[in-house]
Amino acid sequence: MDVADVMQEIADQLDTIDGLRPYGWAAESVTVPGAVVGYPEITFDATYGRGMDRWDLPVWAVVAKASNRGAREQMSKFASGGGISTFKQVLEAGSYTSLDVLRAATATPDQITIGTSDYLAYRFDLEIAGQGSA
Amino acid sequence: MAFVHAKDTFISLDANDLSSFTNTSELSRTADSHDVTTYGKDSHVFSGGLLNGNASMGGIYDSTTSGPRDVIEPLIGTVVELIRRPEGTGSGLPEDAVNVLVTNYTETNAVASMVQWRADLQLSDDVTSTDQT
């Protein structure tokens, strides 16, 4: 699996969510509501002969400022377990060429500072498996 | 002294390279023992008999036609050749080749995990242990 290819494909899949602005890199400035694809933690050699690698890759959903009353409703669209805009459903429904398996395993509330303001975020931890040497 | 990591292990069954779907394997060899103790001895005495053994392999399920389900399931109950290179592929590295009876193929689907598979093999006839050329 190629790090750049996987990060971009995930961003492309998130781009299918109406109104969401995804970033396939660790963007310094984010237009909200946005999604930022992080770099993976890679475990090599899940099978013999470089057959399979396993990654843990974070993706952040970033919505309004944490103090914004509407932040909860905005984040609910992305962080809930099911629904056409939820990261869980959208990411696992994707058809990918850069990886074999993707599972949104956990979602943890977080806070991200953009400029001088704190924004409500959720960190999604994706379990990814795919070809090791290819 | 040189330690060896298992990640480069090569394993094939019926000429199908299953290495990239496998993350564990074992080759176990045993021998019958015959008690030949006679009078006058204070301890048991044994002689070796027929050799025997079994092997196992397992790993992560793959959905392609070269994956473990399509390769191994049709072999259940048949005798095919197992080749295992515990230090990987390379000139001078060890290789074991033996016919095996495929006695078991199991798939395991745990909800929060990759689909996994396992096969159990009964050794049939001698093991040929050589160094690769």
Side-chain angles (χ1 to χ4, degrees), chain B residues 9-73:
Chain B
T9 303
F10 170 92
I11 191 161
S12 73
L13 194 61
D14 196 26
N16 297 283
D17 181 357
L18 295 171
S19 305
S20 59
F21 316 115
T22 306
N23 59 19
T24 185
S25 63
E26 286 185 354
L27 180 61
S28 174
R29 278 169 273 189
T30 61
D32 288 347
S33 65
H34 300 289
D35 192 331
V36 294
T37 312
T38 56
Y39 293 145
K41 288 291 185 180
D42 293 327
S43 302
H44 282 278
V45 179
F46 293 93
S47 285
L50 290 175
L51 302 180
N52 204 341
N54 51 63
S56 67
M57 54 195 294
I60 312 296
Y61 179 93
D62 180 275
S63 61
T64 62
T65 54
S66 59
R69 179 186 179 94
D70 279 13
V71 168
I72 300 176
E73 204 169 57

Side-chain angles (χ1 to χ4, degrees), chain B residues 54-99:
Chain B
N54 51 63
S56 67
M57 54 195 294
I60 312 296
Y61 179 93
D62 180 275
S63 61
T64 62
T65 54
S66 59
R69 179 186 179 94
D70 279 13
V71 168
I72 300 176
E73 204 169 57
L75 300 178
I76 297 171
T78 69
V79 177
V80 295
E81 185 180 45
L82 171 74
I83 294 177
R84 186 170 174 271
R85 300 169 183 157
E87 298 179 30
T89 299
S91 176
L93 299 180
E95 173 181 292
D96 297 311
V98 59
N99 286 339

